[in-house]
Amino acid sequence: MYGTRRWLLGAWLCAFAAAAHAGPRAEVIHWWTSGGESAAVKQVEQAYRAAGGTWVDTAIAGGDQARAVTINRIIGGKPPTAAQFNTSKQFLDIIEEDMLNPVDDIARRDHWDQVLPAPIVDVIKVRGHWYAVPINIHMQTWIWYSKAAFAKAGIAREPASMDELFADLDKLKAAGLIPLGHGGQAWQEILLFSMVLSNLGGRDLYLKVIRDRDQAAIHSAAFRQVLVAFKRLQGYVDPASPGRNWNDATALVIGGKAGMQIMGDWAKGEFIAAGQAPGREFGCLPGLGRDSPYLIQGDVFVFPKTDDPATLRAQKLLASVVEKPAVQRAFNKLKGSIPVRLDADDSGFDECARKGMAILRDPRRPVGVAEVYLTPDQNGALQDVLTAYWNTDMSADRAQNSIASALRY
């Protein structure tokens, strides 16, 4: 009996000591669930564990669903330690409701005002306070193409204009391939539209329409031309496109069944996970000209409001880990994105990433994606018009007027 009590006491003391020395515990909600994304977020998890923390992974497929779960849990009083959002106005409402902890100390320490691109600063800095820790830069409208498909179609060089892009799509179609691998979902259609607007309309028209919501620009002949070109792309997607996930469309390009895909640079993670390399099996175009706008967004971690000392320690540790250059490098190499700092070292990155990092340093080219400038309601209204225009016989004139109404206020 005495031996049993002594053993129980020893076990209890060991458990108590382990609990006392346990590192900060962070439950992290995110939607990185595809192959390349999962491999990337593991790098952050491993770094957090190496720093003494305990990572509790709550992966939820789909950004909309993951954000909804996060907001519902914050409102319900059971928030996660941290959550992924896009670098956008998606979390502005919960900032306004004082539901997030700022990260001003990290921002000051790492000189974010000097080393982050202006479109990113404009989103995560609100009324002088920093409310999100950025982990990467994504460019949403890369043109990915299969080298094998291009060779089969007799395409010798990359397109350098919208006219050349359409000519190449015709060649791919004639070769019996799916010219444009596309997932027929509303958010993917707004990417196609943004690619056409930025490359055909140019920087000025893009910003007048998306950032300024300028009614004259939206009603212009130049913007109508953009809408006509956007709808023309529908003739190059396959009948199975509606409802397809983005990574399944990427798989068509990886397998040489489709020639191109317009998608963010997270698609590169799928190519890499499949054992392919840029310049060898696939190519990447950041735009159709040397001065084409570079549409950036990215991912951030936000930290729900708390006064609990243990949770605050977990949040501070995660914020510090995420901003470490080695962690950003490891994450972004697998994610397909690039580090968020303008002074990041590009050695060891692939040629697509190096292209993006060089463009990012040119202040004339980076602009925000639609979600950077539009509220979720405005962006949703624009998306609704575009997906209706894409999927029905809606005329370009009607789409133009509907977009003007959607972005009037």
Side-chain angles (χ1 to χ4, degrees), residues 144-149 249-259 261 267-284 333-334 336 350-352:
W144 307 97
Y145 65 90
S146 162
K147 292 260 184 181
T250 307
L252 293 173
V253 182
I254 291 172
K257 296 178 181 179
Q261 182 187 21
K268 187 178 63 177
E270 301 301 299
F271 286 97
I272 292 171
Q276 297 194 0
R280 192 178 68 196
E281 288 88 6
F282 71 94
C284 53
K333 284 182 179 180
L334 293 173
D350 61 68
E351 67 177 60
C352 300

Side-chain angles (χ1 to χ4, degrees), residues 37 51 63 74 98 103 154 169 190 220 238 243 278 319 341 370 386-387 409:
E37 292 172 331
I74 292 174
D98 195 29
V103 289
L169 290 169
I190 202 171
S220 68
D238 63 298
R341 292 178 63 105
L386 291 172
T387 199
Y409 303 106

Side-chain angles (χ1 to χ4, degrees), residues 287-352:
L288 295 172
R290 294 179 62 86
D291 297 320
S292 60
Y294 195 69
L295 275 56
I296 63 171
Q297 192 185 44
D299 299 291
V300 299
F301 287 112
V302 300
F303 302 95
K305 194 86 171 182
T306 181
D307 293 322
D308 176 63
T311 305
L312 285 170
R313 284 196 301 273
Q315 290 179 342
K316 294 291 186 185
L317 180 62
L318 180 58
S320 294
V321 165
V322 167
E323 288 307 293
K324 290 183 181 298
V327 175
Q328 293 232 345
R329 286 172 60 84
F331 175 87
N332 285 294
K333 284 182 179 180
L334 293 173
K335 184 67 165 60
S337 46
I338 59 177
V340 70
R341 292 178 63 105
L342 296 173
D343 58 356
D345 178 10
D346 68 359
S347 62
F349 281 89
D350 61 68
E351 67 177 60
C352 300

